[in-house]
Amino acid sequence: MSKLIEAVRGGRTDDVVTIVNGMTAAERRGGLPALRALRKEFRDAWVTPQLQAASPALLVACLGCQSGAAAVASRLTASGWERMWVAEKRFLPMLEERPAGWLAELAHRIADRRPSTDIRYHLLEAIVQAARCPMPVTDASVHAWIRNIYGNGWNTDVIAERLRQSPYLRPMVAGLFTAGGTGQALNSGHSNKDNPWLLALARLTAEGTLDRATMVDGCLGRLLRGGTAVDQRVFHRLLLDLDLSAEEHAGHTADWRALAADALQPVAVHAQSVLADLALAGALPTHDLADMTRAVLIRPEKNLVRAQLKLLDKAVTRDTATADALLPAAVHAFTHEDTEAQERALKLIERHGTHLTNAASREEILASAAPIAPGLRTRVVEALGTGAEEALHAAGEDTLPPVPSPVALASPPASVAETAEETGALLASHGILPVADFERTLDGLVRWAHEDRAALLEALEPVAATRWWSRTCRRPLPDDSVPSAFAPSHVRFTPRLALDLVLAGLHQRITPGTANAVLDGGGAHAGCLPDGPFRARFWEIAHRLLTDPQPFLLSTPSWDNGLLEPGELTDRLKTYQRLGAHVGACDFAQALLRVRTTDRAAAEAAAERAAVLGTPEGRRLADWLRTGGLTGTVLHRTVTDQTTPVVRSGEITALHMFPLAFRELGSPALGSHHRCWCAATAAVQQTHWPALLPEHPELIALRLIQHVLPCAQYPEKDPDVCSVLPLLAQSPGASGPATSLVVAGGLGVQRQEDGIAAVDALLLAAQKKLDPGALATDLGALMLIGIVAPSRLAESLGTAASTGAYRTVWTVLRDALPPLLSKDLSPAESRGLGELLTVAAECAERTGAQGVTPGLDPIVDRRGSSRLVSQARRLRAALAGT
């Protein structure tokens, strides 16, 4: 055995082959442990010229001593071997002594590797030829074949010649259409029109080397499978290079119909053109054309929809007997977002409606026209020769989504195990933490820390072991750096970080002195309100866990919207009095801000009970409930520079007796479009802000204005900046000028997800008597100063209208449009105004609105048929009732 190891170390590959060939099967198996040890030694050593020379010899020795095909396949496809091709020259002759069945198994095991595996195709081909078995066609073998054919040549002639010489050409070409990712592999960096691979395949098909039917079926099958855009483009180009005849097109009608309905747009356009040629030549049955039309007209691409309507016009003109089958299919365009497509479909009905002979076809068209705007329905009915009054429906009220009812918080966790499990789940989850789950788990931690701290710590061990502040974590922070990781104002104090702070206090990773210092500084000197009260509350909880654990939290809400029932807070204070527990200042302050005061009967009853307690907190609660808390706080909308809207709040004296972090909520504030450059806030924090002041969402909206409005003008680094708006709109408190301005800004935010959240807020706030006039004024002002783009607003309001809120959207646009229409806009400033007028016209038609929109007539009187002019004419016609 030492001779074999010496030969390997010396890099004498020929000697290794001779030694291995002279060994028995048992001797080969016995030598494997030493070879494995040598392989590990090579792998861990520095790469040297001696090691590079010895690696091929080691590989040959390992392959020769292995008896199993699986082990040999694993070695042959392993990564990291230097100069593999040198070893293969020595290894291939050794295959002659192996049985054919073993070689076939080896070939299949190599071919079954992942496509990314670096398989040497010529090695696989040699093994298959030695085994005299069919070439295994797999993803890996096909990709290896592609790389082998490419070689160093990128010329069509070179690739075509290599393909002709390939002994397994037909099975491997068939594999191109079934293996994954081959389109990307064939994409050589050239444009598809001059891709040498595709041109070579088309050349071999034309000369008969490849079967034409197989190639056509393969391309169509691959396109029907879908896949990446690169795959679709490559095989579509190959199909075009095959240059199908009219007979071949007609033989695949079902395939073309499926591609027109679902394929990538360029492929669908090609399929549509093929079917159009067949239809106009009389080679496509009318029912197939009708089915294809229904599928195409629901696609979002405008060019496909318009081309299909044009095809129907030609088809019905060519043979009017097809009207009964084709016109009912055309009405699917009535609900398309492209108003031009709607108009073309309507003109198609008007042009060919007299050719209808079947009553069922007329009824189907009328039924399809029922949901569209009244003006369009009238034209449909008139085109069909039926009285308009039989089909028109009176404009109804908006269909608005119901405001979710508040949900009561469940009881706190019943055991330390349940508390630990829910804590771990919240910390491990992604996205926004629901207020109800967060507050319930927080209360459970405080309760069980007071009742059985040792058991809680034991249950939390698996959770704490994974946290960055823990001593048991793989890379824990030093003791002196843990507090600073929570305290700075630039730290994003998310709900998860708040839970981490509580757990760090529970595990004594923060000192009471540090917590006291932070609280004395007003909640870690938070840079953005109401982030300060949010921070201060958790620093106080951590401090109490270190010094004097509370029996439970006074501020835990009764409902998932943050509201706390006055009677429940009174009962909690009574329990604190009975237990002799000390009330936390921040905990009590948060409880007061959450307690319901608008239910005057419940507030008065709870105030009497609280006064009887005789404690300072009981008297404060009684006074708070009797005076209505923050009731009477008023925000004012003003403008600066005669155009820019702002919202102001005065000083709130009712907060003077609160802790410093909460007292700052009552300082005068200004909400405008100027960016609040506070890195301490993020969307995941802001979604918990409405629950801090559930009866006063205006105070939260005031602080959100400087976060939301700039996102309508500039890209926002933090996603979901508007995710808080629906929660704000659901708050039980009344909406006002701050909510109006922040929702107006949200409707213009560039990220689509944020726009949808703002639409949800609009629809919810509309049911809380949000003043549509104020919202319209804000939108008009924001568009005039360039903060909200008309195109983005059109997208948001179009989404709102599509839910059924046509009257709400029209009420907003009716007052928001005149300032913009009356201004002499540059082409850049008017970009998107046509889309906004489209939404306005749609809403006006559906609601039967009438009147005059100032500034509309000069646009209507312009020459041309641009979208802006055509939609202005449409809106004026709708308002005139014509």
Side-chain angles (χ1 to χ4, degrees), residues 72-80 84-85 88 106-128 135-149 172:
V72 173
S74 179
R75 292 291 176 86
L76 287 174
T77 55
S79 60
M84 180 76 174
W85 58 93
E88 290 171 1
L106 176 62
H108 280 84
R109 287 187 177 276
I110 292 175
D112 286 338
R113 297 285 173 173
R114 292 190 300 270
S116 59
T117 304
D118 188 15
I119 294 176
R120 267 69 171 175
Y121 176 77
H122 61 275
L123 173 62
L124 175 62
E125 190 177 86
I127 295 172
V128 170
M135 169 63 73
V137 180
T138 64
D139 288 9
S141 65
V142 171
H143 280 267
W145 178 71
I146 294 173
R147 291 192 297 269
N148 184 65
I149 293 295
M172 299 311 288

Side-chain angles (χ1 to χ4, degrees), residues 282 561 603 614 688 707 725 813 854:
N561 58 14
H688 280 246
H707 292 275
L725 297 186
L813 286 176

Side-chain angles (χ1 to χ4, degrees), residues 30-54:
L32 284 174
L35 292 173
R36 292 193 186 100
L38 188 61
R39 186 171 184 265
K40 184 178 185 304
E41 177 186 333
F42 282 13
R43 187 170 58 243
D44 297 339
W46 289 97
V47 177
T48 62
Q50 293 78 12
L51 181 61
Q52 290 180 327

